[in-house]
């Protein structure tokens, strides 16, 4: 019997995936594949192949560990928790490989991100990406979840496993740092 899963909510689709329904998995992949690719691409220094690999690995984990989905949680929070953990693990792996490399320091002197008016859009994006790559992992993670994935503070709190106040604090410092970095290249 064919079921049209396209209008089903994510949580119900995941219950179908838990039952082994490939069509339900395909709908979830369509809904989240690009979002997760973009998240991994931005979180992992704009490396296309790495983002593609991580996206595939995440969906493999979704299939292999489908029973671990807690139906009381929202699907997107659960999925992005897995993605965030994958990114954390990659940061740890990279830091072990680069122990002798000078680390970037994070400054916290500005508050809002200035417009880079008059600069080429591609250049602006490159400068923002460069500044984001210099953010501390915990700040970059909440920034991407909030402003790329447009998650609520509460959802981000679930994903990263810390109180909402901590999420707000990390967002505040991420925005301050980015503002300072972008202000430095403005003129």
């Amino acid at each position: 019997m064919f079921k049209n899963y396209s209008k089903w909510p994510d949580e119900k689709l995941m219950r179908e995936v838990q039952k082994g329904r490939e069509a339900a998995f395909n709908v979830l992949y369509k809904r989240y594949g690009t979002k997760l690719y973009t998240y991994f691409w931005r979180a992992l220094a704009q490396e296309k192949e790495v983002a593609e690999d991580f996206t595939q690995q995440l969906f493999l984990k979704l299939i292999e560990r489908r029973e671990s989905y807690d139906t009381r949680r929202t699907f997107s929070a659960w999925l992005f928790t897995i993605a965030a953990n994958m990114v954390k693990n990659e940061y740890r792996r990279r830091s072990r490989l680069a122990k002798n490399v000078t680390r970037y320091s994070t400054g916290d002197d500005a508050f809002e991100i200035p417009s880079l008016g008059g600069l080429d859009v591609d250049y602006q994006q490159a400068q923002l990406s460069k500044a984001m790559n210099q953010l501390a992992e915990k700040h970059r993670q909440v920034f991407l979840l909030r402003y790329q994935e447009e998650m609520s503070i509460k959802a981000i709190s679930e994903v990263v496993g810390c109180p909402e106040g901590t999420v707000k604090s990390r967002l505040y410092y991420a925005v301050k740092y980015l503002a300072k970095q972008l202000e430095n290249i403005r003129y």
Side-chain angles (χ1 to χ4, degrees), residues 114-124 185-187:
S115 165
L116 300 178
L119 295 178
D120 179 273
V121 174
D122 291 336
Y123 180 73
Q124 286 180 0
I185 59 136
R186 192 172 191 182
Y187 300 105

Side-chain angles (χ1 to χ4, degrees), residues 157-172:
S157 173
E158 273 186 60
V159 168
V160 299
C162 66
E164 291 179 33
T166 303
V167 170
K168 290 177 185 176
S169 173
R170 290 177 182 177
L171 281 171
Y172 172 80

Side-chain angles (χ1 to χ4, degrees), residues 55-77:
T55 303
Q56 294 305 316
Q57 288 174 26
L58 180 106
F59 280 101
L60 282 172
K61 287 180 186 210
L62 186 141
I63 292 169
E64 292 169 352
R65 300 181 189 152
R66 60 185 176 251
E67 290 79 24
S68 69
Y69 172 63
D70 179 356
T71 56
R72 293 171 294 177
R73 289 186 72 187
T74 60
F75 176 76
S76 61

Side-chain angles (χ1 to χ4, degrees), residues 168-180:
K168 290 177 185 176
S169 173
R170 290 177 182 177
L171 281 171
Y172 172 80
Y173 286 109
V175 169
K176 281 180 62 175
Y177 178 76
L178 292 172
K180 181 178 180 183

Side-chain angles (χ1 to χ4, degrees), residues 54-109:
F54 272 69
T55 303
Q56 294 305 316
Q57 288 174 26
L58 180 106
F59 280 101
L60 282 172
K61 287 180 186 210
L62 186 141
I63 292 169
E64 292 169 352
R65 300 181 189 152
R66 60 185 176 251
E67 290 79 24
S68 69
Y69 172 63
D70 179 356
T71 56
R72 293 171 294 177
R73 289 186 72 187
T74 60
F75 176 76
S76 61
W78 178 74
L79 192 64
F80 276 95
T81 298
I82 295 169
N85 287 335
M86 290 172 68
V87 168
K88 277 189 221 175
N89 291 339
E90 179 65 8
Y91 290 155
R92 284 187 203 113
R93 186 189 72 77
R94 289 180 182 186
S95 72
R96 284 191 304 268
L97 293 174
K99 275 197 174 186
N100 296 328
V101 175
T102 305
R103 296 186 187 266
Y104 295 110
S105 64
T106 58
D108 300 320
D109 297 336

